């Protein structure tokens, strides 16, 4: 069984669907009930339980088993539950919620010997909103430049994962630095972004289709890696029709290129995820 925290969210819904379609038994835990779910779940529906992951006792209780909804061996945890973006709550609330929930998930997994954890870090660790421009391009996993309490909580989650993996050499904890998540209906907005480069420059004109985020999650779960690892996850192309060099010259004319840029490639590097996990984006906003 795979437990997904935050399974009712945008990435959570896609991950639950993707995993179940590939034969995994999945349990979703969240404070928000999935839309249209029966109670009890009908065959083919995800097992859902309402769990506050900021409460360590509730996380331990859920990971230990909830009647027939979470039963048997837990083979992995996908930790997506969090305040999902900067500005959704006061800074201290974001930091406290995200740090405490991530600690609770990592600690409960350690105590219960669940050694396969995949969790959502964030593209914001690269330096969003880039007050002085990006460190270099394409940005990659070596960059650690949080600007807000939200991105600080994600970076500290990555550092916490390193220690949990160090404590148990058989443990794997993979953090996915997800770009701005889009669902198919969101693509209708993309044409409106073409007029002004500064409309979406805040994250280097990148995006991740929720279905490709789900693919990355599954690949991370199935990976034979051990230890703590971080991967940038975006689609292979930008959401702009104009080329990267033209866009950068308009917004950050002094931006450092580590190499020549392809016209519309993602400026979040996905090379490591492609090489190590076999990640290959399948969905493109252009169709």
């Amino acid at each position: 069984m795979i437990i997904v925290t935050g399974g009712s969210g945008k990435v959570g819904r896609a991950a639950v669907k993707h995993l179940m379609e590939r034969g995994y038994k999945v349990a979703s835990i969240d404070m928000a009930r999935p839309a249209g779910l029966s109670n009890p779940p009908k065959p083919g529906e995800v097992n859902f339980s309402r769990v506050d992951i900021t409460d360590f006792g509730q996380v331990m209780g859920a990971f230990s088993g909830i009647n027939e909804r979470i039963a048997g061996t837990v083979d992995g945890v996908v930790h997506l539950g969090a305040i999902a973006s900067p500005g959704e709550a006061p800074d201290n609330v974001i930091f406290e919620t995200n740090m405490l929930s991530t600690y609770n998930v990592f600690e409960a997994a350690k105590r219960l010997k669940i050694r396969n954890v995949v969790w959502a870090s964030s593209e914001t660790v690269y330096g969003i909103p880039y007050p002085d421009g990006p460190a270099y391009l394409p940005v990659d996993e070596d960059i650690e430049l949080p600007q807000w309490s939200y991105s600080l909580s994600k970076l500290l989650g990555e550092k916490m994962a390193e220690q949990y993996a160090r404590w148990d050499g058989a443990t794997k904890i993979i953090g996915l630095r997800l770009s701005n998540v889009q669902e198919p209906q969101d693509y209708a907005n993309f044409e409106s972004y073409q007029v002004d480069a500064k409309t979406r420059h805040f994250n280097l004109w990148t995006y991740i289709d929720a279905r490709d985020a789900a693919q990355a999650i599954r690949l991370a779960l199935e990976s034979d890696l051990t230890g703590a690892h971080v991967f940038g996850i975006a689609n292979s192309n930008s959401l702009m029709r104009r080329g990267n060099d033209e866009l950068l010259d308009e917004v950050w004319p002094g931006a450092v290129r580590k190499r020549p840029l392809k016209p519309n490639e993602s400026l979040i590097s996905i090379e490591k995820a492609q090489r190590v996990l076999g990640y290959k984006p399948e969905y493109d906003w252009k169709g």
Side-chain angles (χ1 to χ4, degrees), residues 3-8 12 27-30 53 63 77-82 105:
I3 297 174
V4 179
T5 78
S8 298
S28 170
I29 62 176
D30 204 315
I53 60 173
F63 286 13
V77 172
V78 177
H79 174 43
L80 307 174
V105 168

Side-chain angles (χ1 to χ4, degrees), residues 177-257:
R177 290 185 182 176
L178 298 173
S179 184
N180 187 234
V181 181
Q182 305 290 314
E183 293 179 305
Q185 64 269 22
D186 298 323
Y187 292 150
N189 300 321
F190 279 26
E191 286 298 339
S192 67
Y193 304 151
Q194 307 304 315
V195 178
D196 184 356
K198 293 185 178 180
T199 302
R200 297 283 299 187
H201 79 294
F202 70 90
N203 75 333
L204 305 175
W205 308 283
T206 63
Y207 71 104
I208 177 65
D209 189 293
R211 296 164 293 181
D212 282 323
Q215 177 209 155
I217 288 166
R218 175 180 56 81
L219 291 170
L221 284 170
E222 294 174 349
S223 169
D224 293 332
L225 293 169
T226 56
H229 303 268
V230 174
F231 295 92
I233 301 295
N235 275 65
S236 56
N237 63 334
S238 79
L239 54 74
M240 298 293 284
R241 298 190 186 278
R242 296 162 62 190
N244 282 320
D245 286 324
E246 178 184 345
L247 293 167
L248 291 169
D249 287 344
E250 180 176 332
V251 179
W252 289 297
V256 176
R257 280 81 154 167

